[in-house]
Amino acid sequence: MPTDPHHCAIRKVTMESPAQTSRQEARRTAEVNEFVVAFYERTLARADFSPAGIAEELGVPRQRAEQAVGVLRELRLVKPAEAGADRFVAVSPEAAQMELLVPLEREILDSRHRLEGFKGQLSSFVSAFEKQSRSRAEPVVITEDREEIELRLLEAAQGCTTEVLVMQPCVARETSELRLARPLVLEAVRRGAQGRILYPHTARGDSDTRAHLGELLPAGGQVRTTNEVRDRFLVFDRKTAFIPAGEGEAIAVVYDGAVAAFLAGLHARVWESAFDFDSGAAGYAGTMGDLKATLLDLLASGAKDEVIARRVGMSERTLRRHVATIMQDLSASSRFQAGVLAARTGLVDTALRGAA
């Protein structure tokens, strides 16, 4: 089936973007000059015409006449004649205007439909935003959704201006929210917030932790290690705290200054007795004695390997190696006997053991 060039022109107008349409309008304005108008006048008194014939009458090159026909066709002021190829018929401006307006009005209608569609889609996001705003009014939000935790961490870290406090296990044993928080804490410290991070002594022997601290310390962060890290938490500006919500992956985000202040106080008490971390020092750097004393305390209490490993921040496999060394040093035949012998010889603090 032959293609109607007139129909193709209509489709072209309909499918063009607003930016393309604007560019075409500018081009038409520049091309519609006195010659094009004079050319159009010559076509009006004829049943049909050829560009070459009008060019000869006006005494201009045929190429210029063909360019004028191109402009007039785009404006729908001429159309192909039925007489044959290279013959055209002039069209009244009123008819041309109607032909141009129909596809443009259709495009406007389509745009309105798209606008209504976008409004409908965005309305669902508005409700989600309002739901989020309502949840922010709650003092505690418990969630295990990774994306939500990440967004709330990002919000708290970006708003942090004075202080960020962290207590956590070594990087090799950190949880998902701590892994998400690590670059955010670093960025807050680089912006000028005071950063104090507590790790267990075992973090000194963890290569991943040392690599992270190689970035944190030069940025101005302060790091200390302690014999036990029983809890994990983050506190931003003593306003927002992130703490575990049970044994699973859920996190409690606490928007309560009193709770944040309590955790900051707990952090400060542990910080006072903790050991400064020196990135230039190798291994445990003088903290091994403190770590062994803690292990002996926990062994004497009868705690299981899983509990001891979690509290000192090491894997059970590493713990068993340390215990084997301690038993050999004390000539003990069992873990419990090692704890008892250590207590009898004054190697452990019996008061601390009882508390454990």
Side-chain angles (χ1 to χ4, degrees):
M1 181 180 294
T3 301
D4 183 355
H6 190 183
H7 178 66
C8 291
I10 294 178
R11 288 187 59 196
K12 180 180 178 182
V13 172
T14 304
M15 298 176 65
E16 286 167 351
S17 68
Q20 291 173 321
T21 303
S22 298
R23 288 194 295 270
Q24 285 190 351
E25 293 297 337
R27 188 175 69 250
R28 289 183 192 126
T29 302
E31 292 177 345
V32 176
N33 50 32
E34 292 183 2
F35 174 74
V36 175
V37 175
F39 188 97
Y40 177 66
E41 288 180 1
R42 286 294 182 110
T43 67
L44 292 175
R46 306 164 190 270
D48 59 27
F49 69 91
S50 68
I54 301 295
E56 185 177 352
E57 291 180 18
L58 296 175
V60 297
R62 178 173 177 172
Q63 182 180 5
R64 190 176 182 188
E66 289 175 347
Q67 290 174 348
V69 170
V71 174
L72 294 172
R73 289 192 66 183
E74 193 169 1
L75 292 173
R76 308 297 188 271
L77 289 170
V78 300
K79 64 180 181 180
E82 296 179 359
D86 202 30
R87 304 292 297 181
F88 298 90
V89 177
V91 178
S92 70
E94 291 78 7
Q97 186 178 40
M98 288 298 298
E99 188 172 336
L100 284 173
L101 287 179
V102 168
L104 289 176
E105 287 178 348
R106 186 184 301 119
E107 183 178 341
I108 292 172
L109 183 61
D110 291 342
S111 297
R112 286 177 178 170
H113 288 159
R114 291 176 58 205
L115 178 62
E116 292 301 321
F118 283 135
K119 284 182 178 179
Q121 291 173 350
L122 289 173
S123 63
S124 60
F125 290 94
V126 170
S127 61
F129 180 82
E130 291 175 349
K131 180 181 178 181
Q132 176 75 3
S133 299
R134 288 194 298 271
S135 66
R136 271 303 311 273
E138 300 174 4
V140 180
V141 176
I142 298 177
T143 178
E144 57 183 16
D145 182 82
R146 179 185 174 91
E147 184 176 354
E148 182 179 3
I149 293 171
E150 185 173 9
L151 289 173
R152 290 181 182 274
L153 278 168
L154 180 63
E155 180 186 37
Q158 288 182 337
C160 180
T161 58
T162 58
E163 178 186 65
V164 54
L165 305 173
V166 183
M167 180 183 288
Q168 70 167 84
C170 60
V171 169
R173 298 176 60 82
E174 68 185 359
T175 52
S176 59
E177 85 279 359
L178 292 171
R179 189 158 47 252
L180 293 170
R182 201 192 319 155
L184 301 177
V185 170
L186 177 61
E187 182 59 30
V189 170
R190 285 174 174 166
R191 290 199 312 268
Q194 184 183 53
R196 290 185 175 182
I197 295 85
L198 276 168
Y199 283 101
H201 290 322
T202 50
R204 294 173 179 266
D206 180 60
S207 59
D208 291 335
T209 303
R210 295 183 73 92
H212 170 55
L213 299 184
E215 294 181 293
L216 185 64
L217 291 171
Q222 301 176 56
V223 179
R224 290 185 180 182
T225 65
T226 183
N227 53 1
E228 292 185 62
V229 171
R230 301 192 183 189
D231 304 291
R232 72 180 196 268
F233 59 79
L234 300 94
V235 180
F236 295 93
D237 283 345
R238 305 200 177 200
K239 296 178 181 178
T240 307
F242 292 79
I243 61 176
E247 296 295 328
E249 295 293 321
I251 295 298
V253 187
V254 184
Y255 300 100
D256 187 298
V259 174
F262 172 80
L263 292 173
L266 172 61
H267 190 283
R269 288 191 293 275
V270 178
W271 184 266
E272 288 176 3
S273 59
F275 293 73
D276 285 326
F277 179 85
D278 180 3
S279 59
Y284 283 83
T287 64
M288 182 57 77
D290 192 43
L291 176 60
K292 282 187 175 181
T294 301
L295 292 176
L296 286 166
D297 276 332
L298 294 170
L299 286 172
S301 73
K304 295 181 179 179
D305 286 355
E306 180 184 357
V307 175
I308 298 174
R310 183 171 63 251
R311 285 178 54 171
V312 299
M314 66 174 61
S315 68
E316 292 185 43
R317 184 177 180 180
T318 303
L319 170 65
R320 283 191 285 270
R321 287 203 304 268
H322 281 290
V323 171
T325 301
I326 292 172
M327 289 172 59
Q328 183 178 0
D329 292 342
L330 293 173
S331 300
S333 58
S334 68
R335 294 164 62 254
F336 181 75
Q337 185 183 23
V340 172
L341 289 173
R344 287 177 179 175
T345 56
L347 294 176
V348 299
D349 186 335
T350 55
L352 288 176
R353 185 191 64 190

